[in-house]
C-alpha cells in the first residue's frame, strides 16, 4: 500500500525566495506531523494537524513558517523569505490517531538547500 | 518538558558483535517509547516500541525494555550484521493532554558494522 509521500524530494532555492513543501499522508490517517532534521539541531517537531486544524504549532521556528491541511489529507508547509538556516530535511509523518502510542509513518522527506 | 538522551556515536562494530545503544529519557506522565531507524538513503522507519513500564519491544533481532525506574530504553542486538548499518533514533511521545502524540527524539546514533 501507499506510504507517506513528500514532494519535491530535493529543493534548491536562493535566499529570500518562498518555498512550498507537500505531504500526502497515508489514506485514513487523521494525525499529521511535520518535523525538521538538521545537522545542528537533530530532529525537531514543527507542527501537528488533526484533520484540517492545527492544535499545536509550537515548533514552528518563526512567523516565516506556516502550514495548512486541506480536506483532512494533503498538507503544505510554506517557508517565506527563506534563510540559509532553513536548510534541512523536512519530514512529514502520519498516524491513524494522535494517541501517543501509535507509531508514526514517515515520508522520505524534502531536502531543502538555501543558497 | 520532554527530552531524550542517546549515547554518543558513532559506533563501529564487527559483524556478529553485540550491540547496545543507551537511551534515557525525561518525561511527564507515562510516555510511549520508540526506536526508529534510518538506513542510508531511506526515510525513518519504526524499529520497535513499548507503551508501558516493563514492556519489551522487539523486531529483526533488536530488543529494548521500558525501564521506568531508570527512565531508560536501551537498544540491544546479540549479533549485528553489515545490513544493520544505519542511524538509530530513540524517541518518546505522550498520550493525551496537549502533546497529541508528537515525538521527541534523541540526537541519533550512527552505527557502522564491518564484515
Amino acid at each position: 500500500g501507499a506510504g507517506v509521500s513528500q514532494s519535491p524530494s530535493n529543493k534548491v532555492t536562493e535566499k529570500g525566495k518562498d518555498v512550498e513543501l507537500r505531504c500526502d499522508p497515508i489514506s485514513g490517517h487523521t494525525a499529521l506531523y511535520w518535523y525538521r532534521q538538521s545537522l545542528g539541531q537533530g530532529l525537531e517537531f514543527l507542527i501537528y494537524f488533526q484533520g484540517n486544524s492545527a492544535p499545536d504549532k509550537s515548533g514552528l521556528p518563526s512567523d516565516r513558517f506556516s502550514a495548512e491541511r486541506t480536506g483532512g489529507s494533503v498538507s503544505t508547509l510554506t517557508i517565506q523569505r527563506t534563510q540559509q538556516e532553513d536548510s534541512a530535511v523536512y519530514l512529514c509523518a502520519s498516524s491513524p490517531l494522535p494517541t501517543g502510542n501509535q507509531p508514526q509513518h514517515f515520508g522520505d522527506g524534502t531536502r531543502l538547500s538555501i543558497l | 518538558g520532554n527530552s531524550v538522551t542517546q549515547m554518543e556515536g558513532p559506533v563501529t562494530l564487527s559483524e556478529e558483535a553485540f550491540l547496545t545503544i543507551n537511551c534515557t529519557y525525561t518525561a511527564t506522565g507515562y510516555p510511549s517509547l520508540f526506536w526508529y531507524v534510518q538506513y542510508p538513503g531511506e526515510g525513518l522507519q519504526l524499529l520497535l516500541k513499548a507503551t508501558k513500564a516493563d514492556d519489551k519491544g522487539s523486531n529483526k533481532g533488536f530488543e529494548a525494555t521500558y525501564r521506568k525506574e531508570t527512565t531508560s530504553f536501551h537498544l540491544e542486538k546479540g549479533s549485528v550484521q553489515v545490513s544493520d548499518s544505519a542511524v538509530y533514533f530513540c524517541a518518546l511521545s505522550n498520550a493525551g493532554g496537549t502533546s497529541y502524540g508528537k515525538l521527541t527524539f534523541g540526537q541519533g546514533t550512527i552505527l557502522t558494522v564491518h564484515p
Side-chain angles (χ1 to χ4, degrees):
Chain A
V4 177
S5 177
Q6 290 188 247
S7 61
S9 54
N10 284 283
K11 177 73 175 178
V12 181
T13 193
E14 293 179 347
K15 176 182 171 181
K17 301 287 189 183
D18 297 352
V19 295
E20 284 190 352
L21 313 179
R22 176 188 167 102
C23 172
D24 199 345
I26 293 172
S27 177
H29 282 195
T30 62
L32 186 147
Y33 306 82
W34 284 96
Y35 296 89
R36 179 168 72 173
Q37 185 175 20
S38 57
L39 279 178
Q41 302 297 322
L43 270 158
E44 307 170 282
F45 166 80
L46 296 177
I47 187 170
Y48 156 72
F49 284 92
Q50 176 61 26
N52 290 342
S53 65
D56 190 350
K57 306 177 183 179
S58 62
L60 295 178
S62 76
D63 59 8
R64 296 186 295 105
F65 287 71
S66 63
E68 65 176 13
R69 188 179 184 193
T70 55
S73 182
V74 172
S75 176
T76 302
L77 176 69
T78 301
I79 309 173
Q80 295 179 309
R81 305 180 303 281
T82 51
Q83 303 294 313
Q84 288 187 331
E85 63 262 28
D86 300 334
S87 295
V89 177
Y90 289 82
L91 296 171
C92 177
S94 69
S95 69
L97 294 169
T99 57
N101 59 5
Q102 293 280 330
Q104 294 178 19
H105 301 262
F106 284 81
D108 288 342
T110 293
R111 182 174 298 278
L112 177 64
S113 300
I114 310 300
L115 301 179
Chain B
N2 295 341
S3 67
V4 177
T5 302
Q6 287 181 236
M7 66 183 288
E8 294 290 330
V11 175
T12 302
L13 296 173
S14 298
E15 206 164 27
E16 299 183 2
F18 184 84
L19 168 70
T20 300
I21 301 177
N22 289 339
C23 171
T24 57
Y25 67 90
T26 301
T28 56
Y30 302 94
S32 294
L33 301 174
F34 305 86
W35 278 99
Y36 282 84
V37 60
Q38 190 171 34
Y39 297 104
E42 298 185 16
L44 274 170
Q45 304 173 23
L46 177 69
L47 180 60
L48 53 83
K49 71 171 187 176
T51 58
K52 61 183 188 296
D54 301 325
D55 266 2
K56 177 185 285 188
S58 62
N59 186 26
K60 300 181 180 180
F62 291 89
E63 293 183 339
T65 301
Y66 188 161
R67 301 286 189 200
K68 188 168 174 58
E69 64 275 15
T70 54
T71 61
S72 65
F73 192 54
H74 304 321
L75 182 68
E76 295 183 337
K77 186 174 185 181
S79 176
V80 293
Q81 305 300 312
V82 172
S83 57
D84 294 326
S85 298
V87 184
Y88 292 82
F89 294 91
C90 185
L92 69 82
S93 69
N94 283 109
T98 58
S99 295
Y100 304 110
K102 68 186 179 187
L103 289 165
T104 299
F105 288 92
Q107 62 267 47
T109 300
I110 300 172
L111 170 66
T112 303
V113 181
H114 293 298

